Amino acid sequence: RASDCVDCSNRGTCPGAFEAKSLTTGFRDSEEQVLSIMNQLKGRVLDVGVGEPHSLRKCIDEETGALPFEYVGIEPDPQRLDEVQKELPELTFYGGAAEDGDLYARFVENQRPFDHVVLLRSYNHLTDLVVAFDNLMSVLKPGGTILLVENTVFGLARGRKKLALLGQMERSGKAPFEHYRNHTSHEAQRVLEG
């Protein structure tokens, strides 16, 4: 974020501003890092907010058509869920969101917990971070990992009026599917530690 934002009294109600900086790691390089991590995962994996599964698609072994791990994907958008189920019929996808109170009952109660939870560019789409991560921790085995990947530079920048309108829409249950925040990795870390 821009240095002017650090001590701003409007920080909680403002989308903030970002300073232009040269990237030390470009998108292609960061995608290769994500793919490297994903290909090392073993066991049971929960993918939260499948969206457009670029990284997931690259993990599928070309010869066997299988992933190196047991995969379960949840997607809150019914249209996107339908599309991804048709695109990758060999994988298991369900409608749902990290904020759903029944995650444990649906995916862990009569099965084993997940070894890994991945959020690939879905963190800023979560409506309630506290509820979402409480739920995700309940389905993750002790010692399991959370892989959180976000592209803040591609987040939407909004003015105060648009944020206020989105807040009203969210409270009424009619919010569109989009970013609710543009957290940097440091801001996300503070949320997770909090």
Side-chain angles (χ1 to χ4, degrees):
R1 290 193 185 262
S3 56
D4 292 346
C5 294
V6 174
D7 295 319
C8 179
S9 62
N10 293 317
R11 182 158 183 175
T13 59
C14 177
F18 290 87
E19 294 178 88
K21 292 184 178 181
S22 297
L23 292 175
T24 55
T25 303
F27 183 79
R28 183 175 294 126
D29 292 335
S30 67
E31 190 64 18
E32 288 176 13
Q33 291 174 341
V34 171
L35 185 58
S36 174
I37 294 167
M38 293 284 291
N39 279 321
Q40 293 177 40
L41 299 179
K42 302 289 182 223
R44 197 160 182 242
V45 176
L46 175 64
D47 184 2
V48 178
V50 176
E52 182 58 41
H54 300 291
S55 300
L56 178 64
R57 201 178 293 113
K58 292 176 184 175
C59 291
I60 297 172
D61 185 283
E62 291 179 15
E63 291 181 24
T64 66
L67 290 166
F69 44 80
E70 181 186 340
Y71 178 85
V72 174
I74 59 172
E75 171 58 46
D77 178 35
Q79 180 178 347
R80 185 66 201 129
L81 176 64
D82 185 53
E83 291 167 359
V84 77
Q85 286 174 321
K86 289 176 184 171
E87 184 181 337
L88 297 167
E90 66 277 15
L91 301 180
T92 305
F93 301 100
Y94 297 94
E99 296 88 349
D100 295 348
D102 64 348
L103 281 186
Y104 184 87
R106 288 177 67 194
F107 300 113
V108 176
E109 197 165 60
N110 296 315
Q111 303 171 59
R112 67 185 199 281
F114 289 96
D115 299 285
H116 312 280
V117 172
V118 298
L119 294 97
L120 303 178
R121 298 168 193 86
S122 57
Y123 169 87
N124 282 316
H125 292 279
L126 299 174
T127 56
D128 187 323
L129 295 174
V130 173
V131 170
F133 281 98
D134 281 349
N135 289 341
L136 295 175
M137 293 305 291
S138 78
V139 301
L140 187 64
K141 78 173 192 177
T145 65
I146 293 180
L147 173 61
L148 195 156
V149 176
E150 195 59 70
N151 292 46
T152 306
V153 297
F154 296 113
L156 302 175
R158 300 188 178 85
R160 287 184 184 89
K161 287 181 183 178
K162 179 68 173 179
L163 283 176
L165 175 62
L166 283 172
Q168 290 172 350
M169 293 172 78
E170 184 178 329
R171 287 186 291 281
S172 70
K174 297 178 184 174
F177 179 70
E178 58 180 290
H179 280 203
Y180 288 94
R181 71 201 60 77
N182 288 320
H183 281 178
T184 64
S185 58
H186 297 292
E187 290 168 314
Q189 183 176 358
R190 282 194 296 274
V191 168
L192 294 173
E193 291 172 345

